[in-house]
């Protein structure tokens, strides 16, 4: 059974046992891994994430009153109960803020969200930098909008992206960009998604990994990070300050010459990351479109170095697994997502999967680090209604 179906069944069982409700429908939305274009989505840059086949499923029942009840199969996630008026900033905290906050921001966007019973189940690992939170937001957003009578079209999906970003920024309190929500709602299965983040324009990009005998391995360091802990916000503030000093609306419009014009070495380094990372995205897209995906390894490596040294968002666990993966034959490797833990990716020949996995695990063991989780991932579809 595919991950989506299995999670859907678990979510339906949860809805029945916790809320005693039969679902009106089940929706799923994917986690994501970002091939390249890290920490540029809030600077108007370009990124190339891929939706995973790992999903959050939401089984949802429309209610006749204004109550909202949300539960999860995750035993650490306490159920939430409130009313449609209780879902906004400062009113919900913890995991439920992602779901409740999305319902609040949908209301703010004019969607007539009904009372709902919601149960979710997910196989997107939490805290692994694979965007479990955006998958939760997207599944809840699509379900609520459809149960509010909205037709599922491109216009709706753009509205849902903005609502999910607003929920995360204003209710959860994490000032994230829009990459995760955009890929969760607009991905096309079988492709990565090139996102021009300043206007949410997207283009599917076929990676052709299997045809080239390659795989994308995700190495979850199992060291958790939280985006709300201040570091992410500081990076974002650095980018805003650098853009202000350069007189730019978007830091991604900076040139290499602009980097030198900044006086502060920290802002120089942050800006250098943004400039070079956007260039690397363009080069990866060009190579992939030319059928040369096997040649993107050095660009992945370059991204890691830039995130480690100029952006300073890596972690020892990430550096160790990246070096070990390369030494064991990976064509390229880098940290992904917000950083400070979470996951790295390695581009590997399918025939090297065992060797790279073993080497990475051994390197962590030798350093006394938590042993990583290893997954090979394929690209899955965007949020959708399953039943
Ligand atoms: C997190 C955020 C994204 C993005 C990445 C870094 O995943 O949610 O918006 O900024 O970090 O690329």
């Amino acid at each position: 059974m595919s991950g989506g179906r299995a999670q859907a069944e678990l979510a339906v069982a949860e809805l029945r046992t916790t809320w005693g409700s039969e679902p009106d429908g089940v929706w799923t939305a994917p986690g994501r891994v970002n091939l390249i274009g890290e920490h540029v989505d809030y600077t108007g840059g370009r990124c190339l994430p891929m939706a995973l086949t790992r999903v959050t499923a939401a089984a949802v029942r429309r209610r006749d009153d204004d109550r909202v009840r949300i539960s999860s199969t995750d035993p650490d996630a306490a159920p939430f109960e409130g009313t449609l008026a209780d879902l906004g900033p400062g009113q919900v905290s913890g995991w439920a803020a992602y779901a409740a906050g999305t319902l609040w921001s949908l209301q703010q966007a004019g969607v007539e969200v009904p009372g709902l019973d919601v149960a979710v189940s997910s196989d997107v690992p939490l805290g692994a930098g694979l965007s479990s939170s955006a998958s939760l937001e997207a599944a809840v957003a699509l379900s609520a909008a459809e149960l509010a009578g909205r037709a599922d079209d491109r216009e709706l999906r753009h509205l849902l992206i903005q609502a999910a970003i607003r929920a995360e920024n204003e209710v959860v309190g994490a000032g994230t960009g829009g990459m995760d929500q955009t890929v969760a709602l607009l991905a096309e299965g079988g492709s990565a998604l090139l996102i021009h983040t300043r206007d949410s324009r997207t283009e599917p990009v076929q990676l052709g990994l299997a045809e080239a005998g390659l795989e994308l391995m995700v190495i979850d360091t199992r060291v958790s990070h939280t985006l709300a802990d201040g570091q992410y916000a500081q990076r974002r503030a650095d980018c805003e300050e650098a853009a202000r000093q350069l007189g730019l609306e978007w830091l991604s419009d900076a040139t290499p010459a602009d980097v030198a014009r900044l006086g502060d070495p920290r802002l120089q380094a942050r800006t250098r990351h943004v400039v070079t990372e956007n260039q690397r995205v363009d080069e990866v897209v060009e190579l992939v479109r030319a059928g040369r995906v096997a040649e993107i390894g050095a660009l992945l490596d370059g991204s890691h170095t830039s995130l480690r040294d100029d952006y300073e968002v890596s972690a020892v666990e990430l550096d160790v697994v990246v070096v070990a993966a390369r030494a064991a034959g990976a064509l390229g490797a880098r940290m992904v997502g917000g950083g400070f833990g979470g996951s790295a990716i390695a581009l590997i020949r399918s025939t090297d999967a065992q060797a790279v996995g073993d080497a990475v695990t051994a390197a962590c063991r030798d350093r006394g680090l938590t042993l990583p989780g290893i997954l090979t991932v394929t690209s899955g579809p965007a949020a959708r209604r399953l039943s």
Side-chain angles (χ1 to χ4, degrees):
M1 190 168 9
S2 77
R5 295 269 161 211
Q7 295 311 311
E9 285 188 11
L10 291 168
V12 169
E14 171 70 21
L15 190 75
R16 288 186 181 133
T17 50
T18 303
W19 304 128
S21 294
E22 280 305 305
D24 288 321
V26 183
W27 287 259
T28 60
R32 62 99 187 92
V33 69
N34 189 18
L35 190 61
I36 197 148
E38 213 67 83
H39 279 283
V40 293
D41 63 339
Y42 47 84
T43 67
R46 299 172 288 289
C47 51
L48 188 63
M50 177 177 113
L52 303 177
T53 53
R54 287 174 175 252
V55 298
T56 297
V60 188
R61 168 85 177 183
R62 190 190 159 113
R63 297 176 57 94
D64 296 331
D65 58 18
D66 67 348
R67 292 201 66 70
V68 175
R69 307 194 293 179
I70 309 169
S71 73
S72 165
T73 52
D74 178 349
D76 294 330
F80 167 85
E81 288 193 62
T83 71
L84 285 167
D86 300 332
L87 310 175
Q91 294 177 293
V92 197
S93 60
W95 80 278
Y98 295 94
T102 298
L103 299 177
W104 170 80
S105 55
L106 282 178
Q107 292 177 290
Q108 301 298 306
V111 177
E112 291 188 6
V113 176
L116 298 170
D117 285 344
V118 181
V120 301
S121 183
S122 183
D123 63 356
V124 184
L126 294 182
L130 301 178
S131 215
S132 54
S133 50
S135 71
L136 171 58
E137 292 155 10
V140 168
L142 187 59
S143 68
E146 285 198 40
L147 291 176
R150 295 290 182 112
D152 180 8
D153 54 21
R154 200 144 176 108
E155 192 188 335
L156 179 75
R157 290 200 172 224
H158 279 279
L159 182 150
L160 301 183
I161 291 166
Q162 293 312 320
I165 296 171
R166 188 166 179 199
E168 190 137 352
N169 288 186
E170 295 183 32
V171 183
V172 177
T176 60
M179 165 171 73
D180 310 338
Q181 293 78 9
T182 305
V183 67
L185 283 151
L186 294 179
E188 297 183 25
S191 303
L193 194 70
L194 175 61
I195 305 175
H196 302 268
T197 61
R198 75 185 57 180
D199 55 9
S200 297
R201 212 159 31 88
T202 60
E203 304 168 49
V205 177
Q206 295 271 350
L207 297 180
L209 290 174
E211 295 82 342
L214 302 177
E215 278 176 23
L216 208 52
M217 174 180 274
V218 171
I219 305 157
D220 175 6
T221 64
R222 296 202 168 115
V223 181
S224 246
H225 65 279
T226 145
L227 294 183
D229 73 356
Q231 289 291 336
Y232 186 94
Q234 276 178 21
R235 296 303 178 284
R236 201 169 168 157
D238 282 350
C239 288
E240 280 161 16
E241 177 57 18
R244 195 191 62 75
Q245 290 187 16
L246 293 170
L248 297 171
E249 184 182 355
W250 299 108
L251 191 59
S252 284
D253 288 338
T255 62
D258 286 333
V259 175
R261 285 176 48 217
L262 288 160
D264 178 343
R266 191 180 79 233
L267 296 187
Q268 279 191 343
R270 305 293 191 244
T271 306
R272 188 162 52 236
H273 167 71
V274 168
V275 171
T276 59
E277 186 74 355
N278 277 301
Q279 285 168 350
R280 284 185 287 270
V281 172
D282 296 343
E283 287 174 47
V284 164
V285 170
E286 213 177 298
L287 283 170
V288 167
R289 285 191 169 143
R292 294 166 60 192
V293 68
E295 294 169 48
I296 69 170
L299 293 159
L300 301 182
D301 293 347
S303 174
H304 186 79
T305 305
S306 180
L307 288 158
R308 185 192 64 203
D309 298 344
D310 280 342
Y311 221 66
E312 297 183 280
V313 290
S314 191
V316 63
E317 294 83 356
L318 291 165
D319 297 340
V320 165
V321 300
V322 158
V323 168
R326 288 180 199 143
L331 305 180
R334 68 178 202 87
M335 58 151 281
V336 291
F340 306 106
S343 296
I345 52 168
L347 180 67
I348 59 167
R349 293 182 198 86
S350 305
T351 47
D352 289 343
Q354 187 71 39
V356 174
D358 289 350
V360 163
T361 305
C364 290
R365 186 177 299 117
D366 290 350
R367 296 284 299 259
L369 302 174
T370 306
L371 296 190
I374 311 266
L375 337 161
T376 40
V377 293
T378 50
S379 117
R384 58 188 173 145
R385 185 173 191 156
L386 276 197
S387 60

